[in-house]
Amino acid sequence: MKVTVVSRSGKEVVKGGINLGDAATVADLQEAIHRRTRKFYPSRQRLTLPIQPGSKERRPVVLNYKKSLKDYCDGNLDYLTVVFKDLGSQVSYRILFFWEYLGPLVLYPIFYYFPVYQYFGYEGERIIHPVQTYALYYWCFHYFKRILETFFVHRFSHATSPLSNVFRNCAYYWSFGSYIAYCVNHPLYTPVSDLQMKIGFGFGLLCQISNFYCHILLRNLRKPDGNGGYQIPHGFLFNIVTCANYTTEIYQWLGFNIATQTVAGYSFLAVATIIMTNWALAKHRRLKKIFDGKDGRTKYPRRWVIVPPFL
Amino acid sequence: MAAQFLLLLRRLYLTLYNWTVLFGWLKVLYLAVQTLRESGHEHVYDAVQRTLQLAQTAALLEIIHGLVGLVRSPISATLPQIGSRLYLTWGILWSFPQTQSHILVTSLVISWSITEIIRYSFFGMKEALGFAPSWLLWLRYSTFLLLYPTGIASEVGLIYVALPYIKASEKYCIRMPNQWNFAFDYFYGTIVVLGIYVPGSPHMYSYMLGQRKRALSKSKRE
């Protein structure tokens, strides 16, 4: 079959098109495009069917790399036009997450162990309060856990993310991480009461363990070959809240902040909550739209979106 | 019927708002030029202070207008603009009197007032009469070409002039230790603001260039 590859402005991306066997898959097409264009490796390619002029469809159909090209030809068995979009340099999620989380893991202990505060004008010995030591352990455990989950637990639906996200996300994590580390390990840090600290860390630890369990449950929802169709999450807290993984993450930071009490920590919690709430709303809506109860599909159950009892 | 009444109310309110603030900025420009000629640039701030503070602070209402949907402007564009204006008016000029006699105050006040006079009369006419004359549209989307650079240069210049006074006075600083383990140093905050001007100014300028292209080509086609 002959495939014509055009850009969104109509220009031919691969001159003369590509000839493939009738049984070819989209993945084969992506390989062929890569071979012909050299620069565009498959994860950079976004291939869609052209929108028919009269059609009401606003979002074009994205080609799934597993499907065979024949599935996308309507009637004409031997030719197809696809629209190509370059997604820019891509990076695997594993690599993205690793770099995001490495910053906080490495930067925080620097403020704890090394005499950095002399460069901010604070000379002399620093008295280290117990809460500061526990905060160090808690924080490092958290980010170490995240890195382990990135490599051994999470199953990613789209294998890659744009390279620009590496800079943006690392700036976010590394800046906030340094800011919180600076405040909590400060020579003039004022601890909260012993009881408040224990409640904070205890609650936070409980939430971290729950969060880990949520990630295991999410992993088991997806089949290993990455054939990610959407599933209704269930089990444990997922029975009452759609994004229980975000819920436990938010509450875990709340625990940390109850124990350490800094404006820096609470502002990080606020920003993280806003970001995760946006994701949770999108996911909740998507699931409700797919599982609408019609045509034999199950209806998505009534659940909290992210943070009971608020949303 | 109620909808029509509300639309009329909105139009009346916005007309009143725009013309009132326009008058304020006209007064600022008049006082600035008059004082400049009669007494010299060192006295310009004293003459315009109250009127400037009123006219500029009134712009806070525009954030509310955008939030409640009274006007269409995206708050993402108006917030940095109003933010920098209020920062200079209150956070630099009012807080650190040593800056008030500087010649950059004159260039600042003149750049701001001409820009705002054109802007508010443009919106004032649109709300009151339903349209604005094409020469006013042209002014609105062309004077920024000169006034943005002069205004921004004056803003950055005055912030820079204020730096030693900010550091010495320790004003607006929150020191540790405190219950919330929070520290804020106004001097370093000001350095950060100066840093924001570096990518922020070209961004605002090119945004206005884009707006100019859109607005002037649209009026050509009409």
Short mmCIF file of all heavy atoms in Angstrom, two decimals, chain A residues 143-194:
data_model
loop_
_atom_site.label_atom_id
_atom_site.label_comp_id
_atom_site.label_asym_id
_atom_site.label_seq_id
_atom_site.Cartn_x
_atom_site.Cartn_y
_atom_site.Cartn_z
N TYR A 143 11.62 10.84 48.40
CA TYR A 143 12.10 10.94 47.03
C TYR A 143 12.82 9.68 46.57
O TYR A 143 12.79 9.34 45.38
CB TYR A 143 12.97 12.19 46.86
CG TYR A 143 12.11 13.41 46.70
CD1 TYR A 143 11.88 14.28 47.76
CD2 TYR A 143 11.44 13.66 45.50
CE1 TYR A 143 11.05 15.37 47.62
CE2 TYR A 143 10.60 14.74 45.35
CZ TYR A 143 10.41 15.60 46.42
OH TYR A 143 9.56 16.67 46.27
N PHE A 144 13.41 8.95 47.52
CA PHE A 144 14.00 7.67 47.17
C PHE A 144 12.89 6.71 46.74
O PHE A 144 13.01 5.99 45.74
CB PHE A 144 14.77 7.13 48.38
CG PHE A 144 15.51 5.86 48.10
CD1 PHE A 144 16.53 5.81 47.16
CD2 PHE A 144 15.17 4.68 48.77
CE1 PHE A 144 17.20 4.64 46.89
CE2 PHE A 144 15.84 3.51 48.50
CZ PHE A 144 16.87 3.47 47.56
N LYS A 145 11.81 6.71 47.49
CA LYS A 145 10.64 5.88 47.15
C LYS A 145 10.14 6.24 45.74
O LYS A 145 9.85 5.37 44.93
CB LYS A 145 9.54 6.11 48.19
CG LYS A 145 8.14 5.69 47.77
CD LYS A 145 7.15 6.01 48.92
CE LYS A 145 5.70 5.92 48.46
NZ LYS A 145 5.29 7.04 47.61
N ARG A 146 10.06 7.55 45.47
CA ARG A 146 9.57 7.97 44.16
C ARG A 146 10.45 7.44 43.03
O ARG A 146 9.95 7.01 41.99
CB ARG A 146 9.54 9.49 44.07
CG ARG A 146 8.41 10.13 44.82
CD ARG A 146 7.85 11.26 44.00
NE ARG A 146 7.19 12.27 44.80
CZ ARG A 146 6.68 13.38 44.32
NH1 ARG A 146 6.77 13.64 43.06
NH2 ARG A 146 6.09 14.23 45.11
N ILE A 147 11.76 7.48 43.24
CA ILE A 147 12.67 7.01 42.19
C ILE A 147 12.51 5.50 42.00
O ILE A 147 12.46 5.01 40.86
CB ILE A 147 14.13 7.40 42.51
CG1 ILE A 147 14.29 8.92 42.40
CG2 ILE A 147 15.11 6.70 41.59
CD1 ILE A 147 15.67 9.44 42.73
N LEU A 148 12.40 4.77 43.09
CA LEU A 148 12.20 3.32 42.97
C LEU A 148 10.91 3.01 42.23
O LEU A 148 10.85 2.12 41.39
CB LEU A 148 12.17 2.67 44.36
CG LEU A 148 13.51 2.53 45.07
CD1 LEU A 148 13.31 1.83 46.41
CD2 LEU A 148 14.50 1.75 44.22
N GLU A 149 9.85 3.75 42.59
CA GLU A 149 8.57 3.53 41.91
C GLU A 149 8.69 3.82 40.42
O GLU A 149 8.09 3.13 39.60
CB GLU A 149 7.49 4.43 42.52
CG GLU A 149 7.02 3.97 43.88
CD GLU A 149 6.10 4.99 44.53
OE1 GLU A 149 6.15 6.17 44.15
OE2 GLU A 149 5.34 4.59 45.43
N THR A 150 9.47 4.85 40.07
CA THR A 150 9.63 5.19 38.67
C THR A 150 10.21 4.03 37.89
O THR A 150 9.80 3.76 36.76
CB THR A 150 10.55 6.42 38.52
OG1 THR A 150 9.99 7.50 39.24
CG2 THR A 150 10.72 6.81 37.07
N PHE A 151 11.17 3.34 38.48
CA PHE A 151 11.83 2.27 37.73
C PHE A 151 11.16 0.92 37.89
O PHE A 151 11.27 0.09 37.00
CB PHE A 151 13.31 2.19 38.13
CG PHE A 151 14.11 3.33 37.58
CD1 PHE A 151 14.61 4.32 38.40
CD2 PHE A 151 14.33 3.43 36.21
CE1 PHE A 151 15.33 5.38 37.88
CE2 PHE A 151 15.04 4.49 35.68
CZ PHE A 151 15.54 5.47 36.52
N PHE A 152 10.47 0.69 39.02
CA PHE A 152 9.98 -0.67 39.27
C PHE A 152 8.48 -0.80 39.40
O PHE A 152 7.95 -1.90 39.37
CB PHE A 152 10.64 -1.24 40.53
CG PHE A 152 12.13 -1.33 40.41
CD1 PHE A 152 12.96 -0.50 41.16
CD2 PHE A 152 12.71 -2.21 39.51
CE1 PHE A 152 14.34 -0.57 41.03
CE2 PHE A 152 14.09 -2.29 39.37
CZ PHE A 152 14.91 -1.47 40.14
N VAL A 153 7.78 0.29 39.56
CA VAL A 153 6.35 0.15 39.81
C VAL A 153 5.50 0.73 38.69
O VAL A 153 4.64 0.05 38.15
CB VAL A 153 5.94 0.81 41.14
CG1 VAL A 153 4.44 0.69 41.37
CG2 VAL A 153 6.70 0.19 42.29
N HIS A 154 5.75 1.98 38.32
CA HIS A 154 4.84 2.64 37.39
C HIS A 154 4.86 2.02 36.01
O HIS A 154 5.90 1.63 35.50
CB HIS A 154 5.21 4.13 37.25
CG HIS A 154 5.02 4.90 38.52
ND1 HIS A 154 3.88 4.80 39.27
CD2 HIS A 154 5.82 5.78 39.15
CE1 HIS A 154 3.99 5.60 40.32
NE2 HIS A 154 5.16 6.20 40.28
N ARG A 155 3.66 1.95 35.40
CA ARG A 155 3.55 1.56 33.98
C ARG A 155 3.07 2.80 33.24
O ARG A 155 2.01 3.32 33.54
CB ARG A 155 2.53 0.43 33.82
CG ARG A 155 3.07 -0.90 34.23
CD ARG A 155 2.41 -2.05 33.47
NE ARG A 155 3.02 -3.31 33.88
CZ ARG A 155 2.39 -4.28 34.54
NH1 ARG A 155 1.13 -4.14 34.86
NH2 ARG A 155 3.04 -5.37 34.88
N PHE A 156 3.85 3.26 32.27
CA PHE A 156 3.53 4.52 31.60
C PHE A 156 2.74 4.31 30.33
O PHE A 156 3.04 3.44 29.53
CB PHE A 156 4.82 5.29 31.30
CG PHE A 156 5.59 5.65 32.54
CD1 PHE A 156 6.72 4.94 32.90
CD2 PHE A 156 5.16 6.68 33.36
CE1 PHE A 156 7.43 5.27 34.04
CE2 PHE A 156 5.85 7.01 34.51
CZ PHE A 156 6.99 6.30 34.84
N SER A 157 1.69 5.14 30.12
CA SER A 157 0.85 4.96 28.93
C SER A 157 1.52 5.52 27.69
O SER A 157 1.59 4.88 26.67
CB SER A 157 -0.50 5.63 29.14
OG SER A 157 -0.31 7.00 29.43
N HIS A 158 2.00 6.77 27.75
CA HIS A 158 2.76 7.28 26.62
C HIS A 158 4.20 7.23 27.05
O HIS A 158 4.57 7.81 28.04
CB HIS A 158 2.38 8.73 26.31
CG HIS A 158 0.99 8.87 25.81
ND1 HIS A 158 0.61 8.50 24.55
CD2 HIS A 158 -0.13 9.32 26.41
CE1 HIS A 158 -0.66 8.73 24.39
NE2 HIS A 158 -1.14 9.23 25.50
N ALA A 159 5.06 6.60 26.28
CA ALA A 159 6.40 6.35 26.76
C ALA A 159 7.23 7.61 26.94
O ALA A 159 8.20 7.59 27.66
CB ALA A 159 7.10 5.40 25.81
N THR A 160 6.87 8.73 26.27
CA THR A 160 7.77 9.88 26.28
C THR A 160 7.07 11.20 26.60
O THR A 160 5.87 11.30 26.55
CB THR A 160 8.48 10.05 24.92
OG1 THR A 160 7.48 10.33 23.94
CG2 THR A 160 9.25 8.81 24.54
N SER A 161 7.90 12.19 26.89
CA SER A 161 7.44 13.54 27.19
C SER A 161 8.39 14.52 26.48
O SER A 161 9.55 14.18 26.26
CB SER A 161 7.53 13.71 28.71
OG SER A 161 7.14 15.00 29.10
N PRO A 162 7.91 15.71 26.08
CA PRO A 162 8.81 16.64 25.41
C PRO A 162 10.02 17.01 26.27
O PRO A 162 9.89 17.15 27.49
CB PRO A 162 7.95 17.88 25.16
CG PRO A 162 6.56 17.45 25.31
CD PRO A 162 6.55 16.25 26.19
N LEU A 163 11.15 17.22 25.63
CA LEU A 163 12.39 17.54 26.35
C LEU A 163 12.25 18.80 27.19
O LEU A 163 12.80 18.89 28.29
CB LEU A 163 13.52 17.72 25.33
CG LEU A 163 14.90 18.08 25.91
CD1 LEU A 163 15.44 16.94 26.74
CD2 LEU A 163 15.87 18.42 24.79
N SER A 164 11.49 19.80 26.69
CA SER A 164 11.35 21.05 27.43
C SER A 164 10.77 20.82 28.82
O SER A 164 11.02 21.59 29.74
CB SER A 164 10.49 22.04 26.65
OG SER A 164 9.27 21.43 26.32
N ASN A 165 9.99 19.75 28.95
CA ASN A 165 9.42 19.45 30.27
C ASN A 165 10.48 19.11 31.29
O ASN A 165 10.29 19.30 32.50
CB ASN A 165 8.42 18.30 30.18
CG ASN A 165 7.05 18.78 29.71
OD1 ASN A 165 6.86 19.97 29.51
ND2 ASN A 165 6.12 17.86 29.55
N VAL A 166 11.63 18.59 30.83
CA VAL A 166 12.71 18.26 31.77
C VAL A 166 13.14 19.54 32.50
O VAL A 166 13.25 19.56 33.72
CB VAL A 166 13.92 17.63 31.05
CG1 VAL A 166 15.08 17.44 32.02
CG2 VAL A 166 13.54 16.31 30.43
N PHE A 167 13.34 20.61 31.72
CA PHE A 167 13.80 21.85 32.34
C PHE A 167 12.74 22.46 33.23
O PHE A 167 13.02 22.88 34.35
CB PHE A 167 14.24 22.83 31.25
CG PHE A 167 15.33 22.27 30.39
CD1 PHE A 167 15.09 21.92 29.06
CD2 PHE A 167 16.59 22.04 30.92
CE1 PHE A 167 16.09 21.37 28.28
CE2 PHE A 167 17.59 21.49 30.15
CZ PHE A 167 17.34 21.15 28.83
N ARG A 168 11.52 22.47 32.72
CA ARG A 168 10.43 23.07 33.48
C ARG A 168 10.20 22.32 34.79
O ARG A 168 10.14 22.91 35.86
CB ARG A 168 9.16 23.05 32.62
CG ARG A 168 7.95 23.65 33.27
CD ARG A 168 6.70 23.32 32.50
NE ARG A 168 6.34 21.91 32.62
CZ ARG A 168 5.20 21.39 32.20
NH1 ARG A 168 4.31 22.15 31.61
NH2 ARG A 168 4.94 20.11 32.34
N ASN A 169 10.07 20.99 34.70
CA ASN A 169 9.78 20.19 35.89
C ASN A 169 10.93 20.19 36.88
O ASN A 169 10.72 20.26 38.09
CB ASN A 169 9.43 18.75 35.50
CG ASN A 169 8.12 18.67 34.75
OD1 ASN A 169 7.56 19.68 34.35
ND2 ASN A 169 7.63 17.45 34.54
N CYS A 170 12.16 20.10 36.37
CA CYS A 170 13.30 20.12 37.28
C CYS A 170 13.38 21.46 38.00
O CYS A 170 13.67 21.51 39.20
CB CYS A 170 14.61 19.84 36.53
SG CYS A 170 14.81 18.10 36.11
N ALA A 171 13.10 22.55 37.28
CA ALA A 171 13.12 23.87 37.92
C ALA A 171 12.14 23.89 39.08
O ALA A 171 12.45 24.36 40.18
CB ALA A 171 12.76 24.95 36.91
N TYR A 172 10.95 23.35 38.86
CA TYR A 172 9.92 23.30 39.90
C TYR A 172 10.38 22.49 41.11
O TYR A 172 10.42 22.99 42.23
CB TYR A 172 8.64 22.71 39.30
CG TYR A 172 7.57 22.32 40.28
CD1 TYR A 172 6.82 23.29 40.95
CD2 TYR A 172 7.28 20.98 40.54
CE1 TYR A 172 5.83 22.93 41.84
CE2 TYR A 172 6.29 20.62 41.43
CZ TYR A 172 5.56 21.60 42.08
OH TYR A 172 4.58 21.24 42.95
N TYR A 173 10.78 21.24 40.88
CA TYR A 173 11.15 20.38 42.00
C TYR A 173 12.40 20.85 42.70
O TYR A 173 12.49 20.86 43.93
CB TYR A 173 11.35 18.94 41.52
CG TYR A 173 10.08 18.16 41.42
CD1 TYR A 173 9.48 17.93 40.19
CD2 TYR A 173 9.47 17.64 42.56
CE1 TYR A 173 8.29 17.21 40.10
CE2 TYR A 173 8.30 16.92 42.47
CZ TYR A 173 7.71 16.71 41.24
OH TYR A 173 6.56 16.00 41.16
N TRP A 174 13.42 21.22 41.92
CA TRP A 174 14.70 21.58 42.51
C TRP A 174 14.60 22.90 43.27
O TRP A 174 15.18 23.05 44.35
CB TRP A 174 15.78 21.65 41.44
CG TRP A 174 16.09 20.34 40.77
CD1 TRP A 174 15.29 19.23 40.67
CD2 TRP A 174 17.30 20.00 40.10
NE1 TRP A 174 15.92 18.24 39.97
CE2 TRP A 174 17.15 18.68 39.60
CE3 TRP A 174 18.49 20.69 39.87
CZ2 TRP A 174 18.16 18.04 38.89
CZ3 TRP A 174 19.49 20.04 39.16
CH2 TRP A 174 19.32 18.73 38.68
N SER A 175 13.85 23.88 42.72
CA SER A 175 13.72 25.18 43.41
C SER A 175 12.98 25.02 44.72
O SER A 175 13.44 25.48 45.77
CB SER A 175 12.96 26.19 42.55
OG SER A 175 13.51 26.26 41.28
N PHE A 176 11.81 24.38 44.65
CA PHE A 176 11.04 24.20 45.88
C PHE A 176 11.81 23.35 46.89
O PHE A 176 11.79 23.62 48.08
CB PHE A 176 9.68 23.55 45.59
CG PHE A 176 8.55 24.54 45.56
CD1 PHE A 176 7.76 24.67 44.42
CD2 PHE A 176 8.26 25.32 46.67
CE1 PHE A 176 6.71 25.57 44.40
CE2 PHE A 176 7.21 26.22 46.64
CZ PHE A 176 6.43 26.34 45.50
N GLY A 177 12.49 22.31 46.38
CA GLY A 177 13.26 21.45 47.28
C GLY A 177 14.32 22.25 48.02
O GLY A 177 14.45 22.13 49.24
N SER A 178 15.05 23.08 47.29
CA SER A 178 16.10 23.88 47.93
C SER A 178 15.50 24.87 48.91
O SER A 178 16.03 25.07 50.01
CB SER A 178 16.89 24.66 46.87
OG SER A 178 17.33 23.83 45.85
N TYR A 179 14.40 25.48 48.51
CA TYR A 179 13.76 26.49 49.35
C TYR A 179 13.30 25.88 50.67
O TYR A 179 13.57 26.41 51.75
CB TYR A 179 12.58 27.09 48.57
CG TYR A 179 11.80 28.17 49.27
CD1 TYR A 179 12.43 29.14 50.05
CD2 TYR A 179 10.41 28.25 49.13
CE1 TYR A 179 11.70 30.14 50.67
CE2 TYR A 179 9.68 29.25 49.75
CZ TYR A 179 10.32 30.19 50.52
OH TYR A 179 9.59 31.18 51.13
N ILE A 180 12.63 24.71 50.59
CA ILE A 180 12.17 24.05 51.81
C ILE A 180 13.35 23.60 52.65
O ILE A 180 13.38 23.80 53.87
CB ILE A 180 11.25 22.86 51.47
CG1 ILE A 180 9.98 23.38 50.79
CG2 ILE A 180 10.92 22.05 52.70
CD1 ILE A 180 9.10 22.29 50.23
N ALA A 181 14.37 23.04 52.00
CA ALA A 181 15.55 22.57 52.74
C ALA A 181 16.22 23.74 53.46
O ALA A 181 16.62 23.62 54.63
CB ALA A 181 16.54 21.93 51.77
N TYR A 182 16.30 24.89 52.77
CA TYR A 182 16.90 26.08 53.38
C TYR A 182 16.15 26.47 54.65
O TYR A 182 16.76 26.77 55.68
CB TYR A 182 16.88 27.24 52.38
CG TYR A 182 17.30 28.56 52.96
CD1 TYR A 182 18.65 28.91 53.08
CD2 TYR A 182 16.34 29.47 53.41
CE1 TYR A 182 19.03 30.11 53.63
CE2 TYR A 182 16.72 30.68 53.97
CZ TYR A 182 18.06 31.01 54.08
OH TYR A 182 18.44 32.20 54.64
N CYS A 183 14.80 26.47 54.58
CA CYS A 183 14.00 26.92 55.72
C CYS A 183 14.02 25.93 56.88
O CYS A 183 14.14 26.33 58.05
CB CYS A 183 12.55 27.19 55.30
SG CYS A 183 12.41 28.59 54.19
N VAL A 184 13.89 24.64 56.57
CA VAL A 184 13.80 23.66 57.65
C VAL A 184 15.14 23.48 58.37
O VAL A 184 15.17 23.28 59.59
CB VAL A 184 13.29 22.30 57.14
CG1 VAL A 184 13.24 21.29 58.26
CG2 VAL A 184 11.92 22.44 56.52
N ASN A 185 16.26 23.59 57.65
CA ASN A 185 17.56 23.36 58.28
C ASN A 185 18.23 24.63 58.76
O ASN A 185 19.38 24.62 59.17
CB ASN A 185 18.47 22.62 57.30
CG ASN A 185 17.95 21.24 56.99
OD1 ASN A 185 17.84 20.40 57.87
ND2 ASN A 185 17.57 21.02 55.74
N HIS A 186 17.48 25.73 58.72
CA HIS A 186 18.02 27.04 59.06
C HIS A 186 18.50 27.09 60.51
O HIS A 186 17.86 26.50 61.39
CB HIS A 186 16.92 28.09 58.85
CG HIS A 186 17.43 29.47 58.68
ND1 HIS A 186 17.79 30.26 59.75
CD2 HIS A 186 17.64 30.21 57.57
CE1 HIS A 186 18.20 31.44 59.29
NE2 HIS A 186 18.11 31.43 57.98
N PRO A 187 19.61 27.79 60.77
CA PRO A 187 20.10 27.89 62.16
C PRO A 187 19.07 28.50 63.10
O PRO A 187 19.05 28.20 64.29
CB PRO A 187 21.32 28.83 62.05
CG PRO A 187 21.64 28.94 60.64
CD PRO A 187 20.53 28.41 59.81
N LEU A 188 18.19 29.37 62.58
CA LEU A 188 17.18 30.01 63.43
C LEU A 188 15.83 29.32 63.32
O LEU A 188 14.79 29.91 63.61
CB LEU A 188 17.04 31.50 63.05
CG LEU A 188 18.31 32.32 63.27
CD1 LEU A 188 18.10 33.75 62.78
CD2 LEU A 188 18.70 32.34 64.74
N TYR A 189 15.82 28.05 62.91
CA TYR A 189 14.57 27.30 62.79
C TYR A 189 13.91 27.11 64.15
O TYR A 189 14.58 26.79 65.14
CB TYR A 189 14.86 25.95 62.15
CG TYR A 189 13.67 25.04 62.06
CD1 TYR A 189 12.73 25.22 61.05
CD2 TYR A 189 13.46 24.02 62.99
CE1 TYR A 189 11.63 24.40 60.96
CE2 TYR A 189 12.36 23.20 62.90
CZ TYR A 189 11.44 23.39 61.89
OH TYR A 189 10.35 22.58 61.81
N THR A 190 12.58 27.33 64.21
CA THR A 190 11.84 27.13 65.46
C THR A 190 10.99 25.87 65.35
O THR A 190 10.06 25.82 64.55
CB THR A 190 10.89 28.33 65.69
OG1 THR A 190 11.62 29.53 65.52
CG2 THR A 190 10.27 28.27 67.07
N PRO A 191 11.29 24.82 66.15
CA PRO A 191 10.51 23.59 66.05
C PRO A 191 9.11 23.76 66.66
O PRO A 191 8.88 24.63 67.48
CB PRO A 191 11.32 22.57 66.87
CG PRO A 191 12.54 23.26 67.30
CD PRO A 191 12.36 24.71 67.13
N VAL A 192 8.19 22.87 66.25
CA VAL A 192 6.87 22.82 66.88
C VAL A 192 6.95 21.89 68.08
O VAL A 192 8.01 21.36 68.39
CB VAL A 192 5.81 22.31 65.88
CG1 VAL A 192 5.68 23.27 64.72
CG2 VAL A 192 6.15 20.92 65.39
N SER A 193 5.81 21.68 68.73
CA SER A 193 5.81 20.81 69.91
C SER A 193 6.12 19.37 69.49
O SER A 193 5.91 18.98 68.35
CB SER A 193 4.45 20.85 70.60
OG SER A 193 3.53 20.10 69.85
N ASP A 194 6.61 18.61 70.45
CA ASP A 194 6.98 17.23 70.20
C ASP A 194 5.78 16.42 69.70
O ASP A 194 5.88 15.60 68.78
CB ASP A 194 7.50 16.64 71.51
CG ASP A 194 8.54 15.58 71.24
OD1 ASP A 194 9.50 15.88 70.52
OD2 ASP A 194 8.36 14.45 71.71
#
